[in-house]
Amino acid sequence: MSTTQSERLRELLEPLVNSQGLDLEEIAVDSVGRKRVLRVVVDSDTGADLDRIADVSRELSAKLDETDAMGQGEYTLEVGTPGAERPLTEHRHYVRAVDRLVKFQLAEDGELVARILDVDDEGLDLEVPGVKGRKATSRRLGFPEIEKARVQVEFNRKDKKEEEA
């Protein structure tokens, strides 16, 4: 049985989010002054555009209005996506980050910045960028070796379509 408000909200809202073809990534209830803010983070393998976010936001709002899951006080509902530098915590997050540059905090070897090439059930195939004109190298990283991982923003990377043209 659920004990926290976030767990109860997840049980209530996750089926609605899933029915829209999205994954419920995070729920947080924060107090901002006298008001409360319910933040819901959603995503999918193909991303979540503004129309899909608006649709799921309306559904969640209607469901919350018909229940007392948020209690009697006022609150604001914010629905969004994880953002550009999202942490990778689930297998599906790594799959979605294929071809992205990721900064890994490793259990034993410090930090590593590499591009995810492939993901399977045991770990990742990576391309480690070369330093000072050296060629990139390949590396295999098992999930147990990873303490934390976060996608990095790249401003000057060419799109694959541009490279192929």
Side-chain angles (χ1 to χ4, degrees):
M1 182 169 190
S2 299
T3 56
T4 68
Q5 183 179 26
S6 291
E7 288 172 338
R8 288 189 302 273
L9 287 167
R10 179 173 286 278
E11 287 177 7
L12 177 70
L13 303 179
E14 193 162 30
L16 290 173
V17 172
N18 292 343
S19 74
Q20 295 289 322
L22 298 168
D23 295 315
L24 179 57
E25 298 292 350
E26 185 181 328
I27 288 182
V29 180
D30 299 314
S31 295
V32 180
R34 291 184 161 173
K35 292 194 176 196
R36 293 175 301 147
V37 178
L38 171 58
R39 289 186 175 87
V40 178
V41 178
V42 299
D43 202 6
S44 78
D45 291 342
T46 59
D49 63 26
L50 289 176
D51 290 336
R52 288 177 80 186
I53 291 172
D55 290 344
V56 78
S57 181
R58 281 189 290 275
E59 291 228 8
L60 297 180
S61 180
K63 186 66 162 183
L64 290 165
D65 287 348
E66 71 185 40
T67 68
D68 65 345
M70 287 297 292
Q72 299 301 314
E74 286 187 33
Y75 68 93
T76 301
L77 172 63
E78 293 180 0
V79 179
T81 60
E85 289 192 12
R86 70 162 313 148
L88 306 177
T89 58
E90 304 281 337
H91 186 271
R92 68 178 179 263
H93 299 164
Y94 290 96
V95 171
R96 291 174 186 159
V98 167
D99 202 38
R100 301 284 309 269
L101 196 63
V102 175
K103 183 176 185 177
F104 298 94
Q105 183 67 44
L106 304 177
E108 295 181 12
D109 295 332
E111 290 184 350
L112 172 68
V113 176
R115 188 168 312 284
I116 298 177
L117 299 177
D118 194 29
V119 180
D120 59 35
D121 291 340
E122 287 80 43
L124 314 167
D125 291 326
L126 305 173
E127 178 184 74
V128 181
V131 180
K132 295 184 181 177
R134 293 191 175 137
K135 283 188 152 189
T137 57
S138 297
R139 179 167 177 183
R140 176 77 181 164
L141 195 59
F143 287 118
E145 298 175 72
I146 303 169
E147 283 189 3
K148 294 180 184 177
R150 184 175 292 274
V151 171
Q152 301 296 289
V153 174
E154 294 181 87
F155 293 106
N156 58 355
R157 181 158 188 243
K158 290 184 179 178
D159 190 359
K160 276 187 168 184
K161 292 176 186 172
E162 291 178 30
E163 291 175 2
E164 293 171 0

